[in-house]
Amino acid sequence: MDLLLLSRLQFAATTVFHFFFVPITIGMVFLIAVYETLYVRSGDEHYKRITKFFGHLFLINFAVGVVTGILQEFQFGMNWSEYSSFVGDVFGPSLAIEALLAFYLESTFIGIWIFSWEKINKKLHLMCIWLVSIGTILSAFWILSANSFMQHPVGFKIVENNVIGKKAEMENFLEIITNSYLWHQFPHVIFTSLATGAFVISGVSAWKILRKHEIKLFHKAFKVSIVAALIGSLGLLLTGHSQMQYLVREYPMKVAAAEALYENTDNPAPFTVLASINEKQQQTKPLVEVPGLLSFLAFDKFDGSLKGMKELQKEMDDKYYPVIGEHLNYIPEVTLIFYVFRAMSGAGGIMFIISLLGTIFAFKKVETKKRWLLHLMPWMILVVEVAAASGWIYAEMGRQPFLIFGIMPTSSGVSPIPASSVLFSLIVFCFLYTILGIAQFVLFRYTMNKKETTIGEVN
């Protein structure tokens, strides 16, 4: 049993599962705040009932997300103690601020919001849910600032420590929170979250309309959420395009792996839709190509070529050997990255098309007649989760073989513990997470099956 592989699998499994709930939480609570704002401004009781109905679903998702998220920080001490010892002074403050500021903001005001319906002023009650939404966005920012340091380390210096040897020490906190990688990643995650939360609400609304459960009410819920889905989908496509151009400049190996480019491209460079990849022989045979599209994605013009992984391997070895002290294989898992990138991109395109059609139909008030769209909308929840998970896998796998890019190889960060212990915990965590997933599905389904949304107070 390979200790490093098992540790990576455990972190991947728990992180991807946790990330199923994060974008739903961020996007859904924002839209719930929008619905309550519409209620407070218009006095329309439909929006109050929509707020309460989707508030139930949000609380279920929030609870499961919190449980799965707690484990993430524990794993740095469990499976990645060498990494934690080396980078704790830099990595720790972001996680501490997220827990002590952002998460406390969320948990405090979500409690007030739940138990204060009809007990405090409407505008004050509305302020509570907006503070919860702000708290979720701040949580995302601080978590991403920590992750961005791993992708693009800045604002630190390496010092000698008598106990653990070399370690990273924070030198400039401002550089960490103004990290260029962070400010390309953060907007992309926020737009992804908006789209995810919006598709969850529009999918549930479509499901209710199909079953003729209060059609007028869920038409209003659908109309607002599908517009948000369109904004989120367009935003994630635009920020994703900007992020790719940033990667072309700063991390060309990630882009080359996503395109399975072992050799330098032609000019202009074609985008490969499907390919036969042989990682052992380092060869790629394109099956379907779009001429010039890769050049446009990388440079905003149908001109320009990209370096292949063979040349980039030599350049990176020359650059990082003096820092690492060993020759590494800088080419990541090409086949996996190639296909998750296409899953992410394809899902993003589908999200934009469906949200555009849904918005047009909703404003024409004909979405209830488009039964194919209503049947499709619940499945779009799966599509957006595929997009989110694929993007996260691409970001993390594309960084390999580094845990902290250019500074610390992944193999150097793992805890010196028996591989059997990691295997046992991996099995246990996967089992428990499966139970949590089933529980969330059952609770969602129970709430959705109610024919009327007269569920009274959220508590």
Side-chain angles (χ1 to χ4, degrees), residues 104-173:
Y104 275 16
L105 183 68
E106 296 169 50
S107 56
T108 299
F109 285 97
I110 201 172
I112 297 173
W113 185 77
I114 292 170
F115 296 107
S116 63
W117 281 98
E118 318 300 346
K119 296 175 183 176
I120 62 174
N121 179 275
K122 289 181 181 179
K123 292 183 178 179
L124 191 59
H125 189 270
L126 174 62
M127 181 192 72
C128 291
I129 195 63
W130 275 114
L131 287 173
V132 175
S133 179
I134 292 169
T136 63
I137 294 170
L138 289 176
S139 284
F141 176 82
W142 291 111
I143 293 296
L144 291 174
S145 71
N147 178 261
S148 295
F149 176 82
M150 298 169 69
Q151 306 278 356
H152 182 67
V154 294
F156 77 105
K157 63 180 178 181
I158 303 237
V159 298
E160 292 289 338
N161 184 281
N162 293 332
V163 178
I164 61 173
K166 289 184 178 181
K167 62 174 293 187
E169 188 175 276
M170 185 185 297
E171 194 171 37
N172 191 326
F173 183 68

Side-chain angles (χ1 to χ4, degrees), residues 240-257:
H241 180 60
S242 174
Q243 197 172 23
M244 180 176 180
Q245 293 184 332
Y246 172 77
L247 293 178
V248 169
R249 298 191 303 270
E250 301 292 334
Y251 301 99
M253 182 65 84
K254 267 192 180 185
V255 178

Side-chain angles (χ1 to χ4, degrees), residues 5-55:
L5 177 60
L6 287 171
S7 296
R8 290 179 65 192
L9 283 174
Q10 179 171 296
F11 200 86
T14 54
T15 300
V16 169
F17 188 86
H18 173 60
F19 200 68
F20 286 150
F21 306 99
V22 172
I24 295 177
T25 295
I26 297 172
M28 203 170 182
V29 72
F30 176 83
L31 284 172
I32 289 169
V34 170
Y35 288 127
E36 187 168 355
T37 301
L38 291 172
Y39 161 64
V40 171
R41 288 179 62 88
S42 67
D44 188 338
E45 288 289 323
H46 280 136
Y47 288 116
K48 180 181 179 180
R49 293 170 65 197
I50 290 169
T51 301
K52 288 187 174 185
F53 176 77
F54 286 106

Side-chain angles (χ1 to χ4, degrees), residues 314-327:
K314 295 177 183 177
E315 292 181 2
M316 292 180 71
D317 193 44
D318 291 340
K319 181 177 181 179
Y320 295 115
Y321 176 73
V323 179
I324 305 300
E326 60 179 309
H327 296 286

Side-chain angles (χ1 to χ4, degrees), residues 267-379:
N267 186 5
F271 178 83
T272 303
V273 180
L274 292 174
S276 174
I277 304 169
N278 189 323
E279 292 191 48
K280 289 185 178 180
Q281 297 182 7
Q282 295 191 336
Q283 292 180 345
T284 299
K285 181 181 179 181
L287 301 177
V288 179
E289 288 185 327
V290 180
L293 181 58
L294 182 56
S295 291
F296 178 79
L297 293 175
F299 309 111
D300 280 338
K301 58 182 180 180
F302 293 99
D303 180 58
S305 61
L306 282 78
K307 293 180 180 179
M309 288 179 282
K310 291 181 180 179
E311 182 173 335
L312 291 170
Q313 167 69 26
K314 295 177 183 177
E315 292 181 2
M316 292 180 71
D317 193 44
D318 291 340
K319 181 177 181 179
Y320 295 115
Y321 176 73
V323 179
I324 305 300
E326 60 179 309
H327 296 286
L328 299 176
N329 177 17
Y330 296 98
I331 298 176
E333 291 84 347
V334 176
T335 303
L336 175 63
I337 291 175
F338 179 86
Y339 283 106
V340 297
F341 184 82
R342 273 139 194 81
M344 175 187 69
S345 304
I350 293 170
M351 290 160 61
F352 175 72
I353 293 170
I354 297 301
S355 62
L356 178 61
L357 291 175
T359 299
I360 293 171
F361 294 150
F363 276 88
K364 289 184 175 181
K365 297 182 179 181
V366 296
E367 84 279 7
T368 56
K369 299 177 183 178
K370 307 293 183 180
R371 295 187 65 83
W372 65 268
L373 177 69
L374 297 178
H375 281 289
L376 179 62
M377 289 308 301
W379 291 103

Side-chain angles (χ1 to χ4, degrees), residues 249-266:
R249 298 191 303 270
E250 301 292 334
Y251 301 99
M253 182 65 84
K254 267 192 180 185
V255 178
E259 299 304 317
L261 302 175
Y262 285 103
E263 307 292 344
N264 295 350
T265 68
D266 296 330

